[in-house]
Amino acid sequence: MSWHNVMSLGARPFTCGSCGTFVASERGYQGDAGVIYVCPFCDTPTVFLEDGRQIPGVAPVGDVQNLPPDVAALYREARGSLAASAPTAAVLTCRKLLMSIAVAQG
């Protein structure tokens, strides 16, 4: 994606909420309610509001390797819900994940 009229801001280190890479970017946009930085790794925007919140947030915990595809999808969904500050959705997804694992294990 090509970003137009990108400003040169002061460099800011952050973990990208989209790709999960720790980066330092100085490209972005200044607004009234915060700053938008463009990730130099995946080229997606990350918003930093004046109150310190980052959108999209960083997904907690790391990836788990070698999961079956359906379980991996539910796990990513739960992590994404937490990153988006949606704890109820994360809990419901984790319950579904536990049910799927229980059924698979008999």
Side-chain angles (χ1 to χ4, degrees), residues 67-77 93 96-97 100-101 104:
L67 293 176
D70 57 335
V71 172
L74 284 169
Y75 182 70
R76 280 192 306 273
E77 182 73 22
T93 305
K96 173 65 176 164
L97 180 62
S100 295
I101 293 170

Side-chain angles (χ1 to χ4, degrees), residues 3-24:
W3 296 95
H4 301 285
N5 302 322
V6 175
M7 300 168 54
S8 179
L9 305 169
R12 180 179 191 141
F14 63 95
T15 300
C16 178
S18 296
C19 69
T21 305
F22 184 73
V23 296

